Amino acid sequence: MLSFDNVSFAYGQHLVLKNISLQINKGEFLAIVGPNGSGKSNLSKLANGLIQPHLGKVLVDGVITQMPKSLREIRRLVGLIFQNPEDQFITTTVFDEVIFGLENIGVDPDKMKSIAEDALKKVEMLSYKGLEPHKLSGGQKQRVAIAAILAMKPKYIVFDESTAMLDPEGRQNIITLMQQLHTEGITIIHITHHMEEVLVATRVLVLKDGLIVADGTPASIFNNNIESNELEVPLALKLKQRLRSTGIKVPEQVMTLEGVVDYLWTSS
Amino acid sequence: MIENVLIGQFIDASSIFHRLDPRSKLISLFCIIIAFLLIDNISGYILASLLVVGCITLSQIPLRFFLKGLKPILIILAFTVFYHILFTKGENLLFQYSILSIYKESIIEGFSIVLRIFLLVLITSLLTLTTKPLDLAHGFEILCKPLKRLRFPVEQFSLMLAITLRFIPTIVMELDKIIEAQKARGVNFEDKSFVKKVLSYIPIIIPLLFTSIQRAENLANAIDARAYGDGSGRTRYKVLHFENRDYQVIGISLLVVGVFFLLRMVGG
C-alpha cells in the first residue's frame, strides 16, 4: 500500500500540496486529474522519494520515504515514467537503458541479459534493442522507459503525464500497456489531462490547488462533480448523458464509446 | 544535420586493435608515449616511424582517418618549426642576414620535434579510432579505480562522459529546431559581416542553453528515480576480460620502452 499521511509540500512560501491524506491499495488503477499547478506531479515525486514532504509522511509498503537507507528499495518498488521521452533516456542504446536500472539495484550480471530481454519483449521493443534513442519515436522511447522500470520488478508504476507528448497511436499503445500491467497485478497511478484515459481507471482522484476535491470511480466523478471541478467530460459520457436525457436508457456502467455503440446496436 | 554527427571517431573493422581490451590499449599507449619521449637520435626516429606505420597497417583503417587527426594541429606544428629555426642556437652556421642567423642544429631540432608530435598524434588516433567511446570510458573507469580512495568520483565521472555522448544527437536536433524557429521569426543567418554573424548566433545559443538546463534537471530526476544511488552495491553488466593477446600487447609495449631506453643510452 502506498500511503500519504497528512502530507504538505511547498516551494518557498507557495504551498503546493495541502495536508493530503491518501491511501492507494495494491491492484488499483488510479487516475489523477486536475489543472496545471494542482500538485499532481509533486504527488508522483513524493511517492518514490525524489522529493520529501515538509509535513507528514509518505509510506511505501510501510517503509517511510525519508529514510535514506531505504530509498533504493523504494525506488525499485515505485517506478516513475516521466512526460518527456527524450529526457529520461539515460544511456546510448535501448538494451543499455534497461540494463542501467538493473545495475543500480545490484542485480547479478549473469542474469541481466535475460531479465532485460524479457522486459523488452513485454513492451514489444526487443527487435530494437541495439538502436540509439534518436532513431526511435516518442512512443517507442516511452515503451523502453516502461521496460526499464518493469525489469526492476516494481509493484507500483506512476505515469506522470507520460502520454502527453505522444501521437494518438503512441498514446493508445501506452494505455493498452497500462491495462495489461494492471491485470498482471501491478498498481498503476496515471496522471493525465486526457479525460478519455481516465475511463479505464478503477478510481479517479481530482486535485485542485493542492487539495483532493473528488475521489471515486470514474462514473461517480463524472456524474456528480463535473461542473464544480471544471473537468472536461469525455465524449462517450456526453453522448451517454444526451441519450439518457432523450429517453434512451444507456446503463450507468457503460463508460466507453464502443460500449455506447454496442448498447445501441443490441438494445431493442 | 543529424546524419553528419559522428559520435567519437570510432571506425569499425576487425583488426587486432579492435579486439583488444580498452585497458590494455590505454596502458600500451601510455608506454608508447613514454618510449617516444625518450627518443634523442636518428635511429630512434626511424624505429618509431616504422612502429607507427606498422600499427596503422595492422589497424585496417584507411590512412586518411589518421591524417584527419593531424589537421587541427598543423598550425602549431608549423609554428614550432619556425620558432626553432629562428631562435635555437647551434655550432654550424648555415645562413646569416643582419640579426637573423640559422644553424644546422636548429633545423634538425625543429623537424625532429614536429616528427615526434606527428608520431604521438598518430599513435593516439590509433586508440580513438579502434575503440568505442563508451568502452574507452569503461576502461578508463576501471583503471582509475584506485583514485576512489582519494574520494574521486570515478563512476559518476564515467556516467557523465557517457551521458555527454548520448546527448550530442539530441542537442543537434534541438539546434536544428531552434534555427528553423528563429528563421521563421525573421532572424537573418546569411549576413556576410562578421559582427552581424556573431550577433545572429545569440538567438540560437540562449534558447539552446535554456532547454539544455531544463533537460539536465529532468534527466537528473530520471537517474534518481531509477535508483542510481551513491554507487555502493552497484553491479556492472559489461565485465572486461584480459585475454592472452592483451598480456602480449602490454608485454610488447614494455619491451618497446626498454628498446628506446637502450637506444638513448647507446646513441647518446
Side-chain angles (χ1 to χ4, degrees):
Chain A
M1 191 169 71
L2 208 65
S3 66
F4 292 75
D5 290 349
N6 304 313
V7 169
S8 294
F9 182 81
Y11 283 116
Q13 294 294 311
H14 178 61
L15 211 53
V16 195
L17 290 173
K18 299 166 187 162
N19 203 23
I20 296 271
S21 284
L22 168 69
Q23 252 101 44
I24 303 166
N25 296 314
K26 278 205 179 118
E28 273 190 309
F29 190 140
L30 175 71
I32 303 179
V33 294
N36 284 333
S38 56
K40 308 186 298 287
S41 280
N42 290 300
L43 215 55
S44 73
K45 285 181 186 144
L46 282 165
N48 82 344
L50 276 184
I51 54 176
Q52 297 294 348
H54 292 126
L55 288 172
K57 58 191 178 192
V58 181
L59 297 138
V60 179
D61 290 350
V63 182
I64 191 161
T65 59
Q66 269 116 322
M67 300 277 286
K69 270 189 183 164
S70 46
L71 267 185
R72 184 185 315 203
E73 180 62 8
I74 282 171
R75 285 173 183 167
R76 184 188 76 75
L77 284 174
V78 186
L80 195 49
I81 312 275
F82 295 92
Q83 181 177 24
N84 191 330
E86 187 71 24
D87 295 355
Q88 57 180 317
F89 208 113
I90 300 156
T91 60
T92 38
T93 66
V94 168
F95 184 73
D96 285 345
E97 187 64 12
V98 182
I99 291 292
F100 179 75
L102 296 177
E103 290 180 328
N104 291 343
I105 56 171
V107 171
D108 178 359
D110 293 334
K111 292 181 185 152
M112 284 185 187
K113 189 165 187 266
S114 66
I115 296 175
E117 287 184 348
D118 283 349
L120 284 170
K121 204 183 278 170
K122 194 156 239 171
V123 301
E124 291 168 14
M125 288 298 291
L126 187 57
S127 52
Y128 299 85
K129 74 174 189 173
L131 286 192
E132 289 119 16
H134 64 264
K135 304 215 170 103
L136 304 175
S137 73
Q140 287 172 329
K141 270 179 246 185
Q142 223 49 332
R143 271 168 27 216
V144 173
I146 295 172
I149 297 290
L150 283 180
M152 293 161 80
K153 307 264 180 294
K155 286 188 184 164
Y156 310 86
I157 302 184
V158 186
F159 294 82
D160 189 357
E161 296 190 38
S162 314
T163 55
M165 292 175 80
L166 305 182
D167 58 20
E169 192 195 341
R171 186 188 303 162
Q172 191 48 52
N173 273 332
I174 302 294
I175 298 291
T176 312
L177 202 54
M178 280 183 201
Q179 288 175 290
Q180 186 195 333
L181 296 174
H182 178 236
T183 56
E184 287 168 19
I186 297 177
T187 307
I188 305 284
I189 297 146
H190 179 34
I191 298 173
T192 183
H193 279 296
H194 295 278
M195 291 307 147
E196 316 87 68
E197 294 178 5
V198 171
L199 299 178
V200 297
T202 56
R203 178 181 170 195
V204 182
L205 204 69
V206 184
L207 229 59
K208 200 179 170 190
D209 298 328
L211 293 167
I212 297 174
V213 290
D215 183 355
T217 62
S220 69
I221 295 283
F222 286 112
N223 292 337
N224 306 326
N225 297 305
I226 295 160
E227 287 81 23
S228 57
N229 295 312
E230 301 149 31
L231 293 177
E232 194 202 329
V233 185
L235 181 64
L237 296 192
K238 266 189 207 162
L239 183 63
K240 185 172 79 177
Q241 279 154 3
R242 290 274 184 85
L243 288 169
R244 283 170 74 91
S245 67
T246 57
I248 302 171
K249 293 271 174 283
V250 184
E252 271 297 340
Q253 66 269 23
V254 174
M255 297 298 288
T256 60
L257 268 183
E258 288 82 16
V260 177
V261 173
D262 277 350
Y263 173 80
L264 290 177
W265 273 101
T266 50
S267 65
S268 46
Chain B
M1 202 165 185
I2 190 74
E3 281 76 26
N4 300 332
V5 178
L6 255 178
I7 298 180
Q9 296 175 287
F10 178 72
I11 307 286
D12 206 4
S14 56
S15 76
I16 162 86
F17 293 115
H18 288 82
R19 273 172 285 150
L20 282 173
D21 186 304
R23 286 172 297 173
S24 54
K25 280 190 264 194
L26 278 163
I27 295 171
S28 302
L29 180 69
F30 185 69
C31 293
I32 300 288
I33 288 175
I34 290 177
F36 283 7
L37 292 177
L38 286 170
I39 301 174
D40 72 340
N41 56 44
I42 186 80
S43 47
Y45 281 109
I46 292 172
L47 196 65
S49 308
L50 286 176
L51 189 74
V52 170
V53 170
C55 287
I56 290 177
T57 318
L58 273 176
S59 76
Q60 300 175 1
I61 291 172
L63 189 65
R64 62 191 160 94
F65 289 107
F66 287 92
L67 297 180
K68 241 193 208 165
L70 288 172
K71 233 190 208 165
I73 58 162
L74 276 180
I75 292 175
I76 302 172
L77 290 181
F79 184 77
T80 314
V81 174
F82 278 113
Y83 178 84
H84 275 277
I85 290 175
L86 294 180
F87 298 109
T88 313
K89 299 258 181 288
E91 284 163 1
N92 302 309
L93 189 67
L94 288 180
F95 176 84
Q96 190 163 34
Y97 179 78
S98 111
I99 53 158
L100 185 72
S101 43
I102 294 173
Y103 300 87
K104 188 181 160 199
E105 285 82 3
S106 58
I107 293 181
I108 293 175
E109 189 164 335
F111 277 100
S112 46
I113 286 178
V114 166
L115 182 61
R116 197 199 301 254
I117 298 175
F118 230 72
L119 294 172
L120 286 173
V121 171
L122 288 178
I123 203 81
T124 313
S125 301
L126 184 67
L127 175 76
T128 51
L129 285 168
T130 60
T131 320
K132 288 183 186 159
L134 279 183
D135 292 344
L136 205 59
H138 193 191
F140 210 73
E141 180 189 329
I142 296 174
L143 285 177
C144 290
K145 270 228 167 106
L147 287 178
K148 261 171 91 174
R149 289 247 177 97
L150 303 172
R151 296 243 175 141
F152 185 78
V154 179
E155 275 141 12
Q156 280 89 330
F157 207 77
S158 155
L159 179 70
M160 197 174 84
L161 204 66
I163 287 172
T164 309
L165 294 169
R166 138 84 182 91
F167 272 90
I168 291 171
T170 305
I171 304 283
V172 170
M173 275 196 265
E174 188 89 25
L175 191 69
D176 266 359
K177 233 190 275 173
I178 292 171
I179 291 177
E180 295 290 311
Q182 297 292 30
K183 269 187 188 164
R185 285 167 176 76
V187 178
N188 183 8
F189 293 107
E190 265 91 62
D191 211 300
K192 290 264 155 51
S193 119
F194 178 74
V195 176
K196 280 192 178 163
K197 218 171 205 170
V198 172
L199 285 179
S200 73
Y201 277 93
I202 293 175
I204 300 175
I205 299 299
I206 302 288
L208 191 65
L209 216 61
F210 186 75
T211 51
S212 298
I213 291 170
Q214 244 172 0
R215 256 182 220 296
E217 201 183 329
N218 290 344
L219 189 72
N221 270 332
I223 290 172
D224 275 340
R226 287 244 231 112
Y228 185 85
D230 53 3
S232 62
R234 200 167 185 264
T235 48
R236 290 303 295 260
Y237 172 67
K238 264 192 205 149
V239 182
L240 295 176
H241 285 294
F242 258 16
E243 309 273 345
N244 269 337
R245 54 170 178 259
D246 292 298
Y247 292 112
Q248 285 159 7
V249 164
I250 292 175
I252 292 170
S253 307
L254 288 172
L255 206 68
V256 168
V257 178
V259 168
F260 277 89
F261 186 69
L262 277 178
L263 266 180
R264 187 186 174 97
M265 289 284 123
V266 175

